[in-house]
Structures are given as structure tokens and as C-alpha cells.
Amino acid sequence: MPTFTRSAIIKSFMKLLNERPLNKITVKDIVEDCGINRNSFYYYFQDLPALAEAVIRDETDRVLNGVNNISSLEDCLFTAIDLALNNKNAVMHLYRSPSRELYEQHLNSIMQYAVTEYINAVSKDMDIEAEDKEIIIRYFKCLLVGFVLDWMNSGMKYDIRNTMTRVCELFSGGMQTALERSANTKR
């Protein structure tokens, strides 16, 4: 079967997910929306949770493939929130569904990758202990994931871009200080 059928299923699913919660969407709704039969749906996806997982995984891969030249912590955060902002209702419906844990795992993956890339770039000429680097990466990843989850828990009601820009301004230099301390204090 052509891959455009898989794409049509995902497009219909996202359209419906932007309109209503995951538990209000059926396979019948999806196949009727995209004009295919049920067998075509099941050729690509075992069930709706498998479809939700595939969508989250595909979007995570798309975001990670687009993460190049991260020049700030804001860039790290914005890579994840842009995905949420582009499909605000769908993301909230996934977040408030049994697929929430999966969404959080992929959010962690995105932030882990983005923060690692950024820290590797800014510390490339520094002699940093590997263990320290991992601690610094984990710290900033958790910080950014925490902000995204707080924003999601609020129903995306505040402007996270402005908030994160201000947080980065207020705490500017914190990462650099941690990297320099690691470089200057060998164990």
C-alpha cells in the first residue's frame, strides 16, 4: 500500500484530534474522514494507541532532525514548544489522555538531545569531566521539561516564549559558570 495512505490516516487523526479528545475518536471516524476502508487503517496501525504513538514518534523524529545549530537554551525549549503550538488542541488532547506518559517520554528525548547538542557546542574547547557534563545536561533538560509541563498543566494559557526568554535573561551565565567550575576543579 502506498505511504500516502499512512499519511492520510495521520492527517485525519490530527484533524480529529484538534477537534476532540482522543477517547472521542474511533477508527471509524478516521477511515470515514480520509475515505479509506478499515483494513487499510489496520494495515498501518494495530489500533488507536499505536497510531497516537506513531504520531508522537514521527513528530519527535521530525523535531530532532530539524535541531541544528542550537545557539541558546531558548532554542532548546522552542524546538519542543513549536510542536505543541502548531497543534495546540491535539497536543492537549494527547497530554490529557492515556498517551500522556508517551508524550512526556518523547518531550524528554527532544530536550535531552537539544540540551546535549547545545552543551557539546559551547563546551567543545573545555576540559569537562564526563560525569559533570552529564549532570549539567540533566539539570538543564529537567529545567526545560519542567517549564513545558507546567505550561501544559496550565492549559498553555501563558506565553511560554516570553516567559522562557525572561528566564534565560535572568539566569544568563548559569550554564557557563557550571561548565567553568567543572573545567577548573578536576577530581
Side-chain angles (χ1 to χ4, degrees):
M1 290 196 171
T3 58
F4 68 82
T5 303
R6 182 182 189 278
S7 296
I9 293 168
I10 290 172
K11 185 177 179 181
S12 290
F13 175 67
M14 290 302 293
K15 175 186 161 214
L16 295 169
L17 195 57
N18 271 298
E19 296 170 0
R20 56 186 176 230
L22 183 60
N23 66 351
K24 302 290 184 195
I25 299 172
T26 65
V27 171
K28 181 181 177 189
D29 295 333
I30 294 169
V31 298
E32 285 178 358
D33 185 73
C34 66
I36 63 169
N37 63 44
R38 289 177 74 83
N39 289 338
S40 295
F41 175 90
Y42 290 112
Y43 177 82
Y44 290 100
F45 305 102
Q46 180 180 352
D47 52 21
L48 284 176
L51 172 57
E53 181 174 353
V55 166
I56 293 168
R57 187 182 56 250
D58 289 355
E59 285 301 306
T60 299
D61 290 346
R62 186 183 64 74
V63 168
L64 293 178
N65 288 332
V67 174
N68 303 357
N69 302 325
I70 294 174
S71 61
S72 69
L73 277 180
E74 292 167 88
D75 289 345
C76 297
L77 179 67
F78 294 162
T79 59
I81 66 169
D82 285 345
L83 169 63
L85 288 171
N86 290 335
N87 290 290
K88 190 174 183 177
N89 290 336
V91 169
M92 285 307 299
H93 288 144
L94 281 172
Y95 184 70
R96 293 180 175 146
S97 77
S99 296
R100 178 181 181 156
E101 183 178 332
L102 182 66
Y103 177 83
E104 289 178 3
Q105 288 171 357
H106 285 274
L107 175 62
N108 267 293
S109 296
I110 290 169
M111 291 303 187
Q112 177 77 30
Y113 180 81
V115 171
T116 300
E117 289 297 303
Y118 176 65
I119 288 179
N120 284 340
V122 299
S123 69
K124 68 180 177 220
D125 296 327
M126 301 174 91
D127 187 20
I128 308 288
E129 295 280 338
E131 184 179 345
D132 286 351
K133 187 181 270 190
E134 286 304 311
I135 290 169
I136 294 166
I137 289 169
R138 190 175 311 118
Y139 174 82
F140 284 99
K141 178 209 55 153
C142 290
L143 177 76
L144 297 179
V145 167
F147 268 100
V148 172
L149 293 178
D150 179 71
W151 174 62
M152 303 269 317
N153 284 325
S154 79
M156 299 181 183
K157 295 209 188 306
Y158 60 88
D159 185 341
I160 193 162
R161 283 182 165 273
N162 285 341
T163 299
M164 285 313 302
T165 298
R166 188 63 181 142
V167 165
C168 290
E169 289 168 356
L170 291 170
F171 296 96
S172 177
M175 181 185 297
Q176 190 65 30
T177 299
L179 293 169
E180 287 170 2
R181 282 186 182 146
S182 175
N184 293 330
T185 57
K186 291 291 179 191
R187 294 182 198 193

